[in-house]
Amino acid sequence: MSDSAPSHWESPPSPRDGRLTARRHPPVAPGRTGLVPMTGPDGDRLALGYVPEPATDGSAYRLVLLLHGAGGSARQGLDLLLPVADAQHLLLVAPDSSAASWDLIAGGFGADVGRIDGLLRAVFDTYPVSDVAVGGFSDGASYALSLGLANGDLFDAVLAFSPGFAAPPVTHGRPRVFVSHGVDDRVLPIDVCSRRLVPHLHDLGYDVTYEEFPGGHDIPAPIRDSATTWLTT
């Protein structure tokens, strides 16, 4: 991640910059609750959503965009926080990447940014949303950090479980960040990943909560619980 990434643009926002145009607004139509497949115009599945029952007091949802690891699936992304969604009133959206992993991993932001932007617009059209976060595991964590820092004017929080890097072409806003990593990770070794990344984020002025745990490339239940508490308080 470059220290000199520009904090503004002179031309309209572009998917190549990782910039999202979707913004929260009052919903225009009611949506389903429970597990909700999200499809494109041709009927292909683009994502899975999970929508808890509306709150009795009418309060809006916290929306969390969840990103799977390399070779993963929307369901694997959804499972990152599905066990706590009802209790914490979290509306979860988990896209499938357009290729085996996210576009940034393959060379630059592009197709996945456009897909995510469309999914977020659809959610904002349908459900009341108060706050928006992005999270992911492994390659999905690297993508969540990169997309989240590029769109801190949309996302207020970023959850990165075992990330490899952050590479936003531009940065906007100052979302708070949660990072976790296993000390015995053999897939994305902690010494060259989070132990370098987290101090750099601190130096750039981000509010980062960092937790290491004994274990490998995984998300133990206590880490998920800690991240959930951090996200919702």
Side-chain angles (χ1 to χ4, degrees):
M1 183 172 64
S2 171
D3 295 355
S4 59
S7 60
H8 64 279
W9 66 82
E10 295 180 357
S11 57
S14 165
R16 299 300 300 175
D17 294 329
R19 291 290 287 155
L20 299 167
T21 60
R23 291 296 183 268
R24 292 182 294 121
H25 58 261
V28 297
R32 295 167 49 192
T33 59
L35 192 65
V36 181
M38 305 177 73
T39 58
D42 56 2
D44 289 347
R45 191 187 76 178
L46 303 180
L48 281 175
Y50 181 77
V51 185
E53 292 296 321
T56 55
D57 63 0
S59 59
Y61 296 99
R62 171 180 279 279
L63 169 62
V64 189
L65 177 72
L66 293 171
L67 309 174
H68 62 73
S73 66
R75 182 62 202 227
Q76 289 171 314
L78 198 71
D79 284 345
L80 296 176
L81 292 181
L82 186 59
V84 300
D86 286 315
Q88 301 299 332
H89 203 53
L90 303 179
L91 193 166
L92 309 179
V93 176
D96 285 299
S97 58
S98 56
S101 192
W102 303 97
D103 50 19
L104 182 63
I105 313 299
F109 281 127
D112 288 322
V113 176
R115 173 177 293 191
I116 288 169
D117 214 9
L119 290 167
L120 292 177
R121 282 195 295 269
V123 171
F124 295 147
D125 281 347
T126 311
Y127 302 99
V129 172
S130 59
D131 301 283
V132 188
V134 58
F137 170 67
S138 191
D139 275 9
S142 299
Y143 200 76
L145 276 169
S146 302
L147 195 68
L149 301 186
N151 294 278
D153 48 350
L154 172 63
F155 300 114
D156 68 287
V158 180
L159 295 159
F161 300 106
S162 304
F165 65 91
V170 297
T171 60
H172 288 263
R174 278 290 185 269
R176 60 193 182 108
V177 179
F178 179 95
V179 178
S180 67
H181 217 116
V183 297
D184 299 316
D185 194 327
R186 299 292 182 262
V187 177
L188 293 172
I190 192 170
D191 284 336
V192 296
C193 294
S194 289
R195 286 179 177 169
R196 291 184 180 179
L197 174 61
V198 168
H200 187 55
L201 291 172
H202 277 302
D203 289 344
L204 293 176
Y206 289 96
D207 176 6
V208 185
T209 296
Y210 178 48
E211 295 196 15
E212 296 184 358
F213 59 89
H217 201 58
D218 195 9
I219 310 173
I223 290 294
R224 185 186 63 210
D225 293 343
S226 181
T228 300
T229 299
W230 173 88
L231 179 65
T232 56
T233 57

